[in-house]
Structure formats: structure tokens, C-alpha cells
Amino acid sequence: LCLLGAYKLWNYRLYARLYTPLNAPLVINKTEMDMSRFWGTYRSNLYFGLRTRSPKSLMTGLMWFPQFAPDGQLAIRHTCEQSDGLHKYGWLKHDGTNFGSQEIVDKDFLLNTEFVKRVGGQHGGDWTARISGKEMGNPNQVVSLLFYATHEGKAHLQPVIQKNILTALRGNSPELGSFTLHFPRPPKVVFSSFLAAHAPHVHSVKDIVMQNMRMAKLKSNKNMQLLALAGHVTQRDEDGNELPVNLFVQQWTLQLPFDVEIVFESGSFVTRAERLLGSSFTNLRDKYSSEFDRKFEERFTLKAKGFGNDEVQFAQAGLSNMVGGIGYFYGSSRVISRYFKEPTDYWNSALYTAVPSRPFFPRGFLWDEGFHQLLISQWDTNISKDIIGHWLDLINIEGWIPREQILGDEARTKVPSDFVVQHNENANPPTLILPIKSMVDKGVLDKEYLRKIFPRLKAWFNWFNTTQLGNLPSTYRWHGRDAKTDKELNPKTLTSGLDDYPRASHPSEDERHVDLRCWMASASGLMADIAQAVGEKSDALLYRSTNHYLSDNALLDKYHWSSKADSYSDYGNHTKFVKLIQRVLQPGQPGSPKKTVRIVTAKQGPSLRYVNAVGYVSLFPFLLQILDPASPKLEKVLKDLKDPEKLWSKFGLRSLSKSDPIYKKYNTEHDAPYWRGAVWININFLAVRALSHYASTPGPYQGTAQAIYTDLRHNLITNMFSEYQRSGFIWEQYDDRTGHGKGSHPFTGWSSLVVLMMSEHF
Ligand code: 6A9
């Protein structure tokens, strides 16, 4: 019995580790929050909305629709959706703290959404949002703007209604104290209406609005009918009890052009001079806007480099969308380990993070974040420190950080349940080391911060260095590949971030992955630097020697240089003789169902060998600058870069060689090629950065590196800029044949690194 008890306890320990936080002081101290960034446009998934950085927040948001829809369909805009088919939208300027200005080009009118903040009092101060509409081809269009507020937690909200018009919302909540949201009546109002109702969740706000739209007749023109909100509505639960009213929506129906302002005033801000409205809004906005221009030029020096106005605006939009897309999320991940049958909850936590794409992936992604912070840290170090701190606080006692952060109900509604669960054996490249390294090198990280992040980075490094090892010393392997599937042409490696990039055809423990080895080499170097900076001498020695060991080019070549492909390579149980075929499930039966399966077409089957795919993975020793500048292997890598039959395209480096058997191949019947040819900006950024490094480091290939640097940088900037002009967006990937943007858009996560390629500040 005692043994059984001990066994159970032991087992429980293994279980609980999954959702036990690392035992180390948190980087982010919640009581010391910088209140200048308390309010922000942290609802990344909305076209426009402000919330606070508190777990349960007052949530505000904008919806709109044209009363005369071009196609006759009522289409209320709210969350960013590609299917809305907007010609263009995004932040033109956004400083991450005080001010933002966004342009939205709808079918036959244009909106500008702006906000300005003024800090004062104890609760983050005031802000004003201004929404301006302009006509575009249809002078008779009438637009309804709906601005709402609802609170996720316990708050007291009291509407002020005069003559059936909602003029303000007074409220009180623990994080905001007392406050008022004013709805000053704008000119050009054709009709005004409001809704006061019960919303069960923030993500059901639009449904509630749709359910409470009525046809209304205009007093001035009885023939004209408008869609308007129903006013006060009472809802009851199953037992007939009245549900509390917690959603308030102001609807202004307006003729174009118009300016509408919504003013939030914090009760504890008692020294306010005048209301932030009209000309005082305009003045403050203009001040912040020129401050933005000045700082942008100071940081990125694009005008000084000779870029024209249009190009500077494109770069400003790139930075602004990355900064303006920063979100604040609160909740827990669904996680699982090998000791669990069913997924369980991680602890509740906050995440302040930039997001890859507002319409498609409005949430945190671990390896994307390292790229985001490379840019953001050059704009505002404090924001980067804050964001990196939030991520490192998500580490559990095992040293693991879940890769995709789907926190809170609103985020979960966006993701199919199969994709929600995160497994604690799965990694994602430790890219956070890139911005940390860049900030350490610039000397902008204080010792206190370094001391806080060090134990967490140590745990993280150690997790990689134990769970992601290969079979041979100094080799590494991405775990989590599916060895049993017969559906995939090449089983995906989601953990590496390069999802369907070809690896060994038959996943096994014999695999070794060259990209992961390089990430570890790079990470150990940074760990040594930080250990030294914080005076941890013995750690510094240890990490330095690991770094030397993993960077040893002879060892690297021994495990990863394929002389057959004349390239760095993964190694594993592999054959290139695979293809997808349609198998008839009941042969001989007419109309029998079919299934697409992968088969091996060669008699001898897979064997232990180099994978020999030339592409992003084979470039890693170069990308992360592990490769010795004097190594003849560098010459070979540079040759592949420049070869149009392999990686070179007019629009940047393609992810996989044009000559690879898997180039542009579907992975299953339905999975289109992703990292199998398209041009991705994060890796191209690393390539441009590495070329700049090899061009400025003495060695035999300096000149070649310099020449390729110039061409590659030029091709990437030129194409992304012209695609932005043509399509209105920055994209997730670019087609290697046409240069056209592909995949989700706007995608202003790592694709915004184009700004750094323009500025050449790496
Ligand atoms: C699945 C679909 C409505 C894929 O940019 C984020 C990631 C990258 O980290 C990764 O390297 N993207 C890249 O290969 C997008 C991943 C999106 C997965 C979402 C659920 C629901 O969408």
C-alpha cells in the first residue's frame, strides 16, 4: 500500500510539473506596471478597439456598415477578416504608447481611426478616439458607426441617456476607478440610436448587435428606412431572471464626410485642463505625429539614405503595424504531456505580445516573437523588455514554453480545437535570443533586467539541451514529428517553425537537424555573454565552452556536411523516392472510396543518409553566422544562394531549391506547399544580416558576400514595396515566380523586418 502511495505521489509529481511555473522570480512585476502603456489598441484582432492591460478589462471596439451596401448585403465590420475584402487597412503611424493613426479603405468610402492618450491620475489617464469618414465614389453613401463598451469582469456601468440619446457611459471598476466615456454628438448625424443589452462574452458582441437591429424610419424623410439599434433590451435566463445589462453600443448614422469622437476620461485624473476633443485633440495628435516622424528618421535614417516619401511611408506602415498589432491576452493554454490522457490547463497568465497577422493569427507565437522584437527593440527598448519578460514568465518548471499562445475565450474561438493543445515535448526555435543579443551588444539592457531573465533563459536552454538531443554527442533533433502517418509526402516539423520544409522522409530517433544545432550554438554564445555580464563566472565558462564546441566547424561538417549535395544537410532515415497516390480502398468495387497515401517508389526503401535538400535549413550555419568566414564551405553556400536554379529569385531567396524533388509539392491531398519554394521574409532577413556580417569580416569571400548583399537587399525591398503599392498590404510570403504576396495579409509580423533591411541596422 505504501509503495502504491509512493508511486502515485511520484506520478503526480510528473503530472504536475507540466503546469507548475518555474521557481524563480518573475520578470514582470505586476505592481510596477508602466501606466503609460496601460491603455492601448491591444485587441489585435479588431479593426479598432482599445483595452487595458489588466486580466479583465473594459473592452471598447468599433463596428461599422454602409446603410446602402454595394451588393445589398448587410456586412458589419468588426474583427479583421480577409473575407471582408477591404482594399487596404492598417496603421500608418503608431508609436506603441500615445498615438496611432490608421487608414481603412472600404468598398466605397474611407475611414480613418485615430487615438491619442494623455496620462494622468492613477489609472492610465485619458484617451480620445476619432473616426473620420470620407467619400470614395458614392456621394450618397450613409455610414453607421457603432462604438461599444463592455466589461469582462465586475464593473458598474451606468448609461447617461437624454431624450433617447446615449450621451455618456459612467463606470467604476477595480482597475480603472471611476471613469466616463463621452459620446459628444457629431455634426452630420442622420440618425442616432443605441443598444443597452446583456453580452455573455466579449466575442458575442457582434451577434448581440445583429440580433438587435431594427428598421427605423427617418422623421425628416418618411420614405427612407435605416437599420438602427433597438435601445434598451431585456434578456432573461432559463429561469426567467433578468440578465444584467453590460453592453452599451452607440450608433451614429452619418453622411460623408464626417468626424466622430469618443472621449474616455479617468476619474482620478483631476488636474486635466480641457477635454481632449476637437482642436485640442488635433493639436496633440499633430504633436505626436511629428514626434513619430522625427523619431522614425532618427532610428532608421531612411531619408538620409535617399529613400523617397512613398518608401518612407511604406516603412512607417511596416513598423506601425507591428507595433499597433501588439496585443494583450489573458488566460491559459491547453497543454498535454506523455503522462496525460487528456489535455489540461496551464496556469492563468498574461501575455503582452506582438502578433504575426491581425486577421489570421491574432495571438502570440514563440519563434515569431524573436523576429518581432528585433524590430521593436530598435523603436522602443521598454516595449521589448516588457514583451520578452512576459514570454519568459510563461516558462514551466521543466523549462518549457508553449509555442502557440491561445489565451482566453476570444482567442480560442479562432482556432480549431485540434490545434489548441500544446505538447510539452515540442520546441520552437529560441529566437528570443536574437533581440536579447542585439540589445546586449548595444548595451541597452540594464544588469537588473539581465539578472531577472538569466535564470529563466538558463532553464529554457537546459530544456532544449536535454529534451531535443540527437543520438550522437553535439547533435540535436526536433521532436514531435509524426512517424506513423501515411498521408504526408514528408511528415511536417511544426516545431522547427518551417512546417513542411522537407526533412528525413521517415522520422526516427536517428535524425539530426542542422538548424536546431545552429540555434543551440548561437544560444550558448548569448548565454555566455549574459552570464559574464551578471557576474556568473562558472556559468559563463560552461556556456562559452559549449558555444565553442557547437561552433566547431570541423564537428559541424562531420555531422552535417553532405559532399553529395555539396551543402549542409539534415541526416536521417530517408529516401527521395516517395509520392502521393490515390489508393482504391475496395479494389474491384465500382465507386469504391479512395484515399490519398504516400508510397515509397524505390525497392530499397529509406536508409540512414543525408537528406540533401538545399534551402533554408541547409543555410543555417551561414544564417546564424556559425560558419567560419574562411571556410571554403562558405563559397559553396554563396554559390547556391546566387543560383537561379536553386535559391535565387528576383524577389528574394526561395525557401527550397527549385531543383528539389519536393519543390512546390503538396504535402497531402489538401495541404498546399508552404515552406517549399515561397520567399519568406524572416529567413531572408537573416540572410541579408549574415551577408552584411561576412562582407565586413576579413576573409576570402568578403567581396562575393558584399555583391550578393547588395542584390538581395535591393530585390527584397523593391518587390515588397511594389507589392504594397499594388495590393495595399504586406504579406506572409511572396511568390518566387511572380513576386506577388501570398498567404495571410496583412502579415506585419516578421515581414515588417523589411524596415531593418532598408535601414541596414542589423
Ligand atoms: C492553425 C488555423 C484561422 C505558420 O506566423 C505564425 C506561424 C509561424 O510561427 C510558422 O513558422 N505560421 C508558420 O509556418 C502561422 C500558423 C498558423 C497556425 C494556425 C489554425 C486557424 O486559423
Side-chain angles (χ1 to χ4, degrees), residues 356 360-361 363 365 367-368 404 414-416 419 428 497-499 674-675 680 732 747 750:
F360 259 79
F361 323 123
R363 52 183 178 275
F365 285 85
W367 93 299
D368 295 61
E404 191 175 338
K414 272 256 173 181
V415 187
F419 290 90
N428 205 204
L498 308 168
D499 304 10
Y674 203 32
W675 295 83
W680 290 78
E732 184 181 22
F747 186 103
W750 59 44

